[in-house]
mmCIF file of all heavy atoms in Angstrom:
data_model
loop_
_atom_site.group_PDB
_atom_site.id
_atom_site.type_symbol
_atom_site.label_atom_id
_atom_site.label_comp_id
_atom_site.label_asym_id
_atom_site.label_seq_id
_atom_site.Cartn_x
_atom_site.Cartn_y
_atom_site.Cartn_z
ATOM 1 N N ILE A 27 5.014 -1.370 1.801
ATOM 2 C CA ILE A 27 5.111 -2.797 2.169
ATOM 3 C C ILE A 27 5.459 -2.810 3.657
ATOM 4 O O ILE A 27 6.593 -2.493 4.033
ATOM 5 C CB ILE A 27 6.206 -3.493 1.325
ATOM 6 C CG1 ILE A 27 5.873 -3.377 -0.168
ATOM 7 C CG2 ILE A 27 6.363 -4.956 1.765
ATOM 8 C CD1 ILE A 27 6.966 -3.883 -1.109
ATOM 9 N N MET A 28 4.486 -3.123 4.485
ATOM 10 C CA MET A 28 4.688 -2.989 5.941
ATOM 11 C C MET A 28 5.474 -4.197 6.464
ATOM 12 O O MET A 28 4.905 -5.117 7.056
ATOM 13 C CB MET A 28 3.326 -2.886 6.637
ATOM 14 C CG MET A 28 2.485 -1.720 6.123
ATOM 15 S SD MET A 28 1.019 -1.395 7.094
ATOM 16 C CE MET A 28 0.017 -2.838 6.751
ATOM 17 N N ASP A 29 6.780 -4.173 6.250
ATOM 18 C CA ASP A 29 7.589 -5.365 6.537
ATOM 19 C C ASP A 29 8.542 -5.158 7.721
ATOM 20 O O ASP A 29 8.974 -4.037 7.985
ATOM 21 C CB ASP A 29 8.398 -5.722 5.278
ATOM 22 C CG ASP A 29 8.970 -7.120 5.349
ATOM 23 O OD1 ASP A 29 8.430 -7.947 6.114
ATOM 24 O OD2 ASP A 29 9.961 -7.391 4.645
ATOM 25 N N TYR A 71 0.400 -2.916 2.247
ATOM 26 C CA TYR A 71 0.457 -4.376 2.049
ATOM 27 C C TYR A 71 0.412 -5.003 3.443
ATOM 28 O O TYR A 71 1.356 -4.882 4.223
ATOM 29 C CB TYR A 71 1.779 -4.704 1.361
ATOM 30 C CG TYR A 71 1.860 -5.981 0.563
ATOM 31 C CD1 TYR A 71 0.778 -6.822 0.364
ATOM 32 C CD2 TYR A 71 3.077 -6.336 -0.041
ATOM 33 C CE1 TYR A 71 0.886 -7.974 -0.405
ATOM 34 C CE2 TYR A 71 3.191 -7.481 -0.814
ATOM 35 C CZ TYR A 71 2.096 -8.293 -0.979
ATOM 36 O OH TYR A 71 2.224 -9.441 -1.750
ATOM 37 N N ALA A 72 -0.700 -5.658 3.769
ATOM 38 C CA ALA A 72 -0.863 -6.207 5.116
ATOM 39 C C ALA A 72 -0.687 -7.728 5.149
ATOM 40 O O ALA A 72 -0.191 -8.286 6.128
ATOM 41 C CB ALA A 72 -2.240 -5.854 5.667
ATOM 42 N N PHE A 73 -1.119 -8.419 4.093
ATOM 43 C CA PHE A 73 -1.026 -9.888 4.080
ATOM 44 C C PHE A 73 -1.023 -10.350 2.621
ATOM 45 O O PHE A 73 -1.934 -10.013 1.862
ATOM 46 C CB PHE A 73 -2.231 -10.486 4.821
ATOM 47 C CG PHE A 73 -2.077 -11.956 5.135
ATOM 48 C CD1 PHE A 73 -1.388 -12.366 6.271
ATOM 49 C CD2 PHE A 73 -2.606 -12.918 4.287
ATOM 50 C CE1 PHE A 73 -1.245 -13.733 6.556
ATOM 51 C CE2 PHE A 73 -2.467 -14.282 4.577
ATOM 52 C CZ PHE A 73 -1.786 -14.683 5.715
ATOM 53 N N SER A 74 0.002 -11.101 2.249
ATOM 54 C CA SER A 74 0.134 -11.504 0.842
ATOM 55 C C SER A 74 -0.491 -12.874 0.599
ATOM 56 O O SER A 74 -0.751 -13.632 1.546
ATOM 57 C CB SER A 74 1.611 -11.531 0.439
ATOM 58 O OG SER A 74 2.232 -12.689 0.951
ATOM 59 N N ASN A 77 1.633 -15.370 2.275
ATOM 60 C CA ASN A 77 1.799 -15.379 3.725
ATOM 61 C C ASN A 77 1.039 -16.514 4.418
ATOM 62 O O ASN A 77 1.301 -16.809 5.591
ATOM 63 C CB ASN A 77 1.416 -14.018 4.337
ATOM 64 C CG ASN A 77 2.419 -12.921 4.065
ATOM 65 O OD1 ASN A 77 2.069 -11.749 3.944
ATOM 66 N ND2 ASN A 77 3.710 -13.254 3.973
ATOM 67 N N ARG A 80 2.943 -19.386 6.339
ATOM 68 C CA ARG A 80 3.535 -19.220 7.674
ATOM 69 C C ARG A 80 2.862 -20.138 8.697
ATOM 70 O O ARG A 80 1.750 -20.613 8.474
ATOM 71 C CB ARG A 80 3.408 -17.764 8.106
ATOM 72 C CG ARG A 80 4.189 -16.863 7.166
ATOM 73 C CD ARG A 80 4.224 -15.456 7.665
ATOM 74 N NE ARG A 80 5.042 -14.643 6.776
ATOM 75 C CZ ARG A 80 5.544 -13.468 7.077
ATOM 76 N NH1 ARG A 80 5.309 -12.955 8.265
ATOM 77 N NH2 ARG A 80 6.274 -12.803 6.219
ATOM 78 N N ARG A 197 9.558 0.466 1.001
ATOM 79 C CA ARG A 197 9.707 -0.809 1.711
ATOM 80 C C ARG A 197 10.695 -0.639 2.857
ATOM 81 O O ARG A 197 11.888 -0.450 2.640
ATOM 82 C CB ARG A 197 10.196 -1.931 0.794
ATOM 83 C CG ARG A 197 10.287 -3.243 1.597
ATOM 84 C CD ARG A 197 10.341 -4.475 0.754
ATOM 85 N NE ARG A 197 10.056 -5.647 1.592
ATOM 86 C CZ ARG A 197 9.761 -6.848 1.156
ATOM 87 N NH1 ARG A 197 9.691 -7.068 -0.126
ATOM 88 N NH2 ARG A 197 9.520 -7.841 1.991
ATOM 89 N N GLU A 201 14.779 -5.114 3.109
ATOM 90 C CA GLU A 201 14.642 -6.018 1.949
ATOM 91 C C GLU A 201 14.490 -5.176 0.688
ATOM 92 O O GLU A 201 13.785 -4.177 0.684
ATOM 93 C CB GLU A 201 13.401 -6.918 2.094
ATOM 94 C CG GLU A 201 13.280 -7.672 3.394
ATOM 95 C CD GLU A 201 14.418 -8.655 3.624
ATOM 96 O OE1 GLU A 201 15.266 -8.827 2.722
ATOM 97 O OE2 GLU A 201 14.475 -9.232 4.718
ATOM 98 N N ARG A 203 13.094 -5.873 -2.429
ATOM 99 C CA ARG A 203 12.272 -6.572 -3.421
ATOM 100 C C ARG A 203 10.815 -6.165 -3.278
ATOM 101 O O ARG A 203 10.405 -5.593 -2.265
ATOM 102 C CB ARG A 203 12.437 -8.093 -3.291
ATOM 103 C CG ARG A 203 12.158 -8.610 -1.900
ATOM 104 C CD ARG A 203 12.286 -10.137 -1.806
ATOM 105 N NE ARG A 203 12.163 -10.584 -0.432
ATOM 106 C CZ ARG A 203 13.187 -10.832 0.384
ATOM 107 N NH1 ARG A 203 14.425 -10.703 -0.046
ATOM 108 N NH2 ARG A 203 12.985 -11.220 1.636
ATOM 109 N N SER A 205 8.202 -8.436 -3.584
ATOM 110 C CA SER A 205 7.401 -9.510 -2.974
ATOM 111 C C SER A 205 5.948 -9.521 -3.469
ATOM 112 O O SER A 205 5.011 -9.574 -2.667
ATOM 113 C CB SER A 205 7.446 -9.419 -1.442
ATOM 114 O OG SER A 205 8.777 -9.493 -0.977
HETATM 115 C C1 LIG B 302 5.662 -8.840 2.057
HETATM 116 O O1 LIG B 302 6.505 -9.213 3.085
HETATM 117 C C2 LIG B 302 4.236 -8.954 2.482
HETATM 118 C C3 LIG B 302 3.801 -8.016 3.504
HETATM 119 C C4 LIG B 302 4.522 -7.122 4.111
HETATM 120 C C5 LIG B 302 2.423 -8.096 3.834
HETATM 121 P P1 LIG B 302 7.059 -10.684 3.256
HETATM 122 O O2 LIG B 302 7.812 -10.679 4.519
HETATM 123 O O3 LIG B 302 5.979 -11.659 3.108
HETATM 124 O O4 LIG B 302 8.036 -10.826 2.001
HETATM 125 P P2 LIG B 302 9.302 -11.738 1.786
HETATM 126 O O5 LIG B 302 8.938 -13.147 2.153
HETATM 127 O O6 LIG B 302 10.383 -11.198 2.672
HETATM 128 O O7 LIG B 302 9.654 -11.565 0.342
#
Side-chain angles (χ1 to χ4, degrees):
I27 301 173
M28 303 190 291
D29 195 22
Y71 204 4
F73 193 84
S74 77
N77 287 148
R80 297 187 177 197
R197 182 162 195 166
E201 308 298 355
R203 54 178 173 264
S205 302

